[in-house]
Amino acid sequence: MFILLLMRKSVVVNDDDDESGPSGSTLIIDQVMKCCDDFFECTASNGVPPNVSRRIKLTVEFAPRITMPNKRIGQMKGRETILECIVTAFPHASTYWEKDDKRITSSMKHRIEAYEEGDHTLTLSLRIHVLDSSDFGDYKCVAANSLGRDEDIMHLHEYRPTESIELRTPFLLPDGGPGRGVAGGLLWPVESGPTHLPAVVNHNYHLHQHDVFVSAE
């Protein structure tokens, strides 16, 4: 008697779809996917030891797929920032960044690096030094190989920190006479833009909308 086993990672593969003959066996895998990329082991036995085994590596080729941890990122002018996209492909894909339909290359302004993550995956990073107004906008990550192409877009916008206002207001002297000065140095968090504050009355302090000074934190 002759027994033939096909195994994947020490798990016996169902032999319903294999074709046996006098010279061996054929395993047919329908609808091959990326997860089929693995080692397969063929073991033959006829009852007379030892058994004979051979390992076969199945390599699955597939078109690139791009994922992005973040699709929108903000940074202030004058700072630097890093954009990243994750590319999975086999064979290895040609990967690059674009802005305004122009391919970005490493320079004094930009630095492009690729980091191998294993399992046919890499991270493509774009470091932008000293941001100015022209750097904000959409950046496209592109990957292509012989089986296809993929792309995704990340938006870089200008980040403006939350601002605060300090109220310098009139107040009443203890004897009831009029006077002016700083009443408590109160800070009110506001977003950038026009500010409208209601009048506030607190015991001896009369706080009004006038004498408002805006300063960034």
Side-chain angles (χ1 to χ4, degrees), residues 131-148:
L131 290 171
D132 57 39
S133 298
S134 64
D135 295 317
F136 299 114
D138 291 335
Y139 287 79
K140 183 187 296 183
C141 179
V142 181
N145 65 10
S146 58
L147 299 175

Side-chain angles (χ1 to χ4, degrees), residues 63-68 71 85-89 93-96 98 140-145 147-153:
R65 180 183 177 185
I66 291 178
T67 56
M68 288 187 174
K71 289 193 174 185
C85 69
I86 300 173
V87 181
T88 304
S94 171
T95 55
Y96 53 92
E98 287 184 352
K140 183 187 296 183
C141 179
V142 181
N145 65 10
L147 299 175
R149 168 191 170 102
D150 195 17
E151 61 185 41
D152 207 348
I153 294 176

Side-chain angles (χ1 to χ4, degrees), residues 40-76:
F40 290 78
E41 184 175 279
C42 179
T43 301
S45 173
N46 63 358
V48 180
N51 297 339
V52 178
S53 298
R54 292 290 184 272
R55 296 185 72 191
I56 301 172
K57 177 67 169 73
L58 174 63
T59 300
V60 179
E61 298 184 349
F62 53 94
R65 180 183 177 185
I66 291 178
T67 56
M68 288 187 174
N70 300 293
K71 289 193 174 185
R72 182 177 176 87
I73 188 170
Q75 183 57 285
M76 294 184 290

Side-chain angles (χ1 to χ4, degrees), residues 119-191:
D119 195 26
H120 308 310
T121 300
L122 63 82
T123 297
L124 185 68
S125 74
L126 170 62
R127 184 187 298 267
I128 309 172
H129 301 281
V130 192
L131 290 171
D132 57 39
S133 298
S134 64
D135 295 317
F136 299 114
D138 291 335
Y139 287 79
K140 183 187 296 183
C141 179
V142 181
N145 65 10
S146 58
L147 299 175
R149 168 191 170 102
D150 195 17
E151 61 185 41
D152 207 348
I153 294 176
M154 181 180 294
H155 182 75
L156 174 63
H157 64 92
E158 182 180 357
Y159 170 72
R160 297 181 180 181
T162 301
E163 296 177 341
S164 63
I165 61 171
E166 182 176 352
L167 303 183
R168 299 178 181 270
T169 63
F171 67 94
L172 296 179
L173 295 177
D175 59 3
R180 295 185 62 82
V182 178
L186 299 178
L187 293 178
W188 292 67
V190 297
E191 297 296 330

Side-chain angles (χ1 to χ4, degrees), residues 6 8 14 21-22 24 30 37 56-57 70 72 81 89 113 137 144-145 148 156 163 184 206:
L6 288 170
R8 178 186 182 191
N14 189 337
D30 295 321
D37 191 309
I56 301 172
K57 177 67 169 73
N70 300 293
R72 182 177 176 87
T81 193
E113 295 179 313
N145 65 10
L156 174 63
E163 296 177 341
H206 295 259

